[in-house]
Amino acid sequence: MMNIKTLLFAPVLLLMSNCTTQSQTQNSENGSNTITIGINKTAKIPNSKINLHFKEITEDSRCPVDVTCVWEGIATVNIEGTSGSQKTNFQVGTRDFLPRNVSKSFSFSGYRFTLTDLKPYPGGKQESESVTFKYEKEE
């Protein structure tokens, strides 16, 4: 009887031990490094002195889910980058938008960061606010 309980609960324990938190998720697929940061959370870039803090979403005029729009809209976020004693604020968009001097990428402390996802999407399912960046070391 004891062995049956062990066999039933072992897979559950394995699944639970593989969970990640919303505040910081790192991924390295196909040589592409990504990091997801929850709102008001800080994430460290592996093998560097860089920390990124997701401060706020300042604008979100993206076209809602299941709606056909003439203009796709844009969302912008404030990110604070820290590397040692260097601290810089960045306004990053879901797309490049020159009239407002907003870009979806920025360089900081030898790395290039590109915004790849911002959640939640307007009209989509309710989920925690998070931003995902792809990052790569600049040469």
Side-chain angles (χ1 to χ4, degrees), residues 84-112:
S85 62
Q86 180 185 9
K87 190 178 279 192
T88 307
N89 288 304
F90 301 95
Q91 185 175 41
V92 188
T94 52
R95 64 185 193 87
D96 295 334
F97 190 56
L98 295 178
R100 290 204 194 145
N101 198 24
V102 172
S103 175
K104 70 182 294 176
S105 297
F106 65 95
S107 291
F108 180 64
S109 195
Y111 283 80
R112 182 83 176 157

Side-chain angles (χ1 to χ4, degrees), residues 75-139:
T76 56
V77 298
N78 281 342
I79 301 293
E80 180 181 81
T82 307
S83 179
S85 62
Q86 180 185 9
K87 190 178 279 192
T88 307
N89 288 304
F90 301 95
Q91 185 175 41
V92 188
T94 52
R95 64 185 193 87
D96 295 334
F97 190 56
L98 295 178
R100 290 204 194 145
N101 198 24
V102 172
S103 175
K104 70 182 294 176
S105 297
F106 65 95
S107 291
F108 180 64
S109 195
Y111 283 80
R112 182 83 176 157
F113 297 91
T114 303
L115 192 150
T116 59
D117 193 23
L118 176 64
K119 293 180 181 171
Y121 205 84
K125 64 180 179 177
Q126 293 289 70
E127 53 190 319
S128 300
E129 295 172 322
S130 67
V131 66
T132 301
F133 287 99
K134 181 177 102 173
Y135 63 92
E136 56 194 5
K137 197 164 187 139
E138 293 180 317
E139 296 180 22

Side-chain angles (χ1 to χ4, degrees), residues 11-25:
V12 173
L13 291 174
L14 286 172
L15 286 173
M16 291 175 59
S17 68
N18 198 23
C19 293
T20 58
T21 63
Q22 178 87 27
S23 63
Q24 178 180 345
T25 306

Side-chain angles (χ1 to χ4, degrees), residues 30-99:
N30 304 327
S32 173
N33 296 316
T34 61
I35 191 156
T36 299
I37 312 166
I39 190 81
N40 295 317
K41 302 288 184 191
T42 300
K44 181 176 182 353
I45 304 304
N47 304 317
S48 77
K49 295 181 180 180
I50 300 172
N51 288 304
L52 295 181
H53 180 76
F54 179 18
K55 295 171 78 172
E56 64 182 332
I57 298 173
T58 55
E59 173 188 356
D60 195 350
S61 64
R62 295 177 292 174
C63 187
V65 174
D66 298 328
V67 174
T68 303
C69 298
V70 177
W71 187 62
E72 66 183 289
I74 187 172
T76 56
V77 298
N78 281 342
I79 301 293
E80 180 181 81
T82 307
S83 179
S85 62
Q86 180 185 9
K87 190 178 279 192
T88 307
N89 288 304
F90 301 95
Q91 185 175 41
V92 188
T94 52
R95 64 185 193 87
D96 295 334
F97 190 56
L98 295 178

